[in-house]
Amino acid sequence: MVGLARSGVAAALALRALGQTVVGCDAGSGNHPALVEAAGRLREAGVEVRLDASGVDLAARARTLIKSPGVPQDAPAVRAARDRGAVVLGELEFAWRLVPNEFVAVTGTNGKTTTTEWIGHVHREAGLPVAVAGNVGTAASSLVDRLPGDVTVVCEASSFQLEDTVAFSPEAAVLLNLSPDHLDRHGTYEEYVAAKLKVFANQGNYDVAVAPADLGIEDLGGCARRVLFGSGPGPELSDRAGHLWWDDLPIVRVDELALPGAHNVQNAMATAAVCLARRVAPEAVATGLRTFTGVRHRLERIPAEDGVTWVNDSKATNVASTIVALQAFPGGIHLIAGGRGKQQDFSPLAPLVAERCRAVYLVGEAAAELADALAPSGVPLHQAGDLERAVGLARAAAVAGEIVLLSPACASYDQYTDFEARGDHFRALVEGA
């Protein structure tokens, strides 16, 4: 097992429960608290653990190498395993092979977590057993040998996870949207798109493939039934005259959706499309669309008593997500942005920053790059360095009626273990005032 973050630990524990000999390694420091805690759990379960290790020497002992999504394809241990003919599987592929339940996989550049949780919510409203897993926080491997056969697994699938798939074939797959992201990992936009489209590649004739009507990709791959969503009369799930329609059946008024914003109309359409295509009752779909209130770290409002609206959008790890966040508010925004860049072009942020922001507070490794890209906006830019100082500066400047928005447009790995840790720290700073 290479990579001992959440999914790697889950896979290692699942293998041990199946009686397999497991060796886990991670190149991270043995001084990292999360890694130390993970290593302790694994050792208690009988897993041999190596920290500060590339795993190249261990590859010679392995029949199969399971890799965490964050481990790149060209990592030394992965290359060594392939060179000697060992089987290399990603954690999602591994889990799918061992969990016999039906899978609904959700991917896209933005909206994955919200839509995955929304689909789960609709299933619960319909009284259908469901487990939500994948990139949302619960590793799919943790479900091995734990689910009754009638439970549907709704699984968020990142490009990192899909890149590692071989035979993965979910009964339903949803692609929400596509825009450049993770180019530091995939190299080109074309390779990033290819990784996303692997969600459809192995689907059969009786499966369902959901995608936007305006995606601009003629062949999604695979053999599944295509179900399109979008505006106008063409798609099976459409936004027409203020209603969401399933063919000729009105489902819900757009103004009844629990989540605001044009991006959430798209997420709602994708949610409804996959649920209705899988024969979930229209009444339950409508109720679920009206009652779902969102997820943590995605435009999550944090209660405060200073009259300022504090918003945790730590899940916004790319430019497109931050654009959506800025569009969600009319103005008066104090934006906190930055972290580890992903070879993105930050310049598309500048017009919205000019239009809607009072100030921007920059943190992390990409702060200088962001400053260059946002300079044409004319908005004051503050080099805060870290989140604590950024929150302090924003608190001193923001007045009642304005918004302090953490929407980084960057990954978190320069200063945090993941976007959740970053969002939790932001919440703690706001609530600790």
Side-chain angles (χ1 to χ4, degrees):
M1 184 68 234
V2 180
L4 299 180
R6 180 185 296 137
S7 60
V9 169
L13 292 175
L15 283 165
R16 280 299 300 144
L18 294 171
Q20 300 296 310
T21 300
V22 184
V23 181
C25 71
D26 196 294
S29 169
N31 294 322
H32 194 291
L35 267 180
V36 171
E37 188 273 335
R41 288 179 59 203
L42 292 174
R43 287 178 176 129
E44 288 178 4
V47 176
E48 179 184 340
V49 177
R50 305 274 190 90
L51 301 182
D52 293 298
S54 70
V56 171
D57 59 322
L58 301 176
R61 298 167 49 188
R63 289 182 302 161
T64 303
L65 184 147
I66 312 295
K67 63 183 286 296
S68 289
V71 177
Q73 295 277 1
D74 60 355
V78 177
R79 288 203 311 268
R82 285 204 169 100
D83 288 346
R84 63 176 297 271
V87 175
V88 176
L89 298 176
E91 184 268 339
L92 176 59
E93 175 84 18
F94 164 79
W96 173 78
R97 293 187 182 196
L98 292 179
V99 177
N101 302 62
E102 289 195 2
F103 269 65
V104 176
V106 180
T107 196
T109 303
N110 298 303
K112 295 185 296 298
T113 300
T114 296
T115 304
T116 300
E117 295 284 3
W118 211 338
I119 294 168
H121 177 74
V122 169
H123 277 68
R124 287 187 286 271
E125 287 293 333
L128 300 172
V130 67
V132 176
N135 208 38
V136 297
T138 299
S141 293
S142 67
L143 305 179
V144 175
D145 283 342
R146 296 193 175 184
L147 296 180
D150 62 344
V151 175
T152 296
V153 177
V154 184
C155 180
E156 178 182 344
S158 71
S159 62
F160 291 4
Q161 292 169 311
L162 291 169
E163 178 186 56
D164 293 334
T165 57
V166 179
F168 181 60
S169 177
E171 281 75 15
V174 181
L175 175 62
L176 297 168
N177 46 58
L178 286 170
S179 59
D181 196 14
H182 297 302
L183 302 188
D184 55 334
R185 167 75 171 257
H186 297 290
T188 67
Y189 179 59
E190 290 71 22
E191 288 298 319
Y192 170 68
V193 171
K196 289 292 193 184
L197 292 182
K198 289 185 77 174
V199 76
F200 302 122
N202 300 311
Q203 287 188 296
N205 294 330
Y206 298 102
D207 297 328
V208 174
V210 177
D214 61 355
L215 187 64
I217 297 176
E218 187 170 332
D219 183 11
L220 298 178
C223 300
R225 168 194 169 196
R226 303 299 192 247
V227 176
L228 302 181
F229 65 90
S231 299
E236 287 88 341
L237 197 295
S238 61
D239 176 5
R240 288 180 278 149
H243 281 75
L244 299 189
W245 295 76
W246 177 242
D247 290 330
D248 294 325
L249 176 67
I251 300 300
V252 68
R253 294 199 319 273
V254 170
D255 62 11
E256 291 181 287
L257 297 176
L259 298 185
H263 63 292
N264 279 319
V265 176
Q266 298 295 309
N267 295 337
M269 285 195 286
T271 296
V274 72
C275 290
L276 291 165
R278 297 185 68 251
R279 302 185 185 280
V280 177
E283 297 81 6
V285 173
T287 300
L289 294 179
R290 293 188 187 102
T291 57
F292 180 66
T293 57
V295 299
R296 295 179 64 229
H297 308 296
R298 190 64 178 121
L299 291 175
E300 175 193 17
R301 299 196 181 210
I302 302 172
E305 298 180 357
D306 54 5
V308 174
T309 299
W310 294 82
V311 181
N312 169 20
D313 195 42
S314 183
K315 186 75 169 62
T317 61
N318 57 57
V319 169
S321 288
T322 298
I323 287 174
V324 166
L326 291 171
Q327 290 172 334
F329 303 99
I333 300 170
H334 294 257
L335 174 66
I336 301 175
R340 176 162 293 172
K342 297 188 284 185
Q343 297 183 15
Q344 300 178 90
D345 177 9
F346 292 117
S347 61
L349 293 170
L352 272 172
V353 166
E355 178 185 324
R356 305 193 181 199
C357 290
R358 294 276 192 269
V360 180
Y361 310 89
L362 301 171
V363 301
E365 293 176 355
E369 187 181 355
L370 272 162
D372 290 342
L374 299 181
S377 71
V379 170
L381 307 176
H382 304 278
Q383 291 288 349
D386 59 30
L387 196 53
E388 185 170 2
R389 178 163 167 73
V391 168
L393 291 171
R395 177 174 282 119
V399 299
E402 294 185 334
I403 299 105
V404 177
L405 170 66
L406 170 66
S407 190
C410 293
S412 58
Y413 303 125
D414 55 339
Q415 296 178 327
Y416 298 92
T417 56
D418 51 34
F419 73 85
E420 293 164 316
R422 178 171 61 188
D424 288 340
H425 188 204
F426 178 71
R427 172 180 281 277
L429 290 169
V430 174
E431 293 178 339

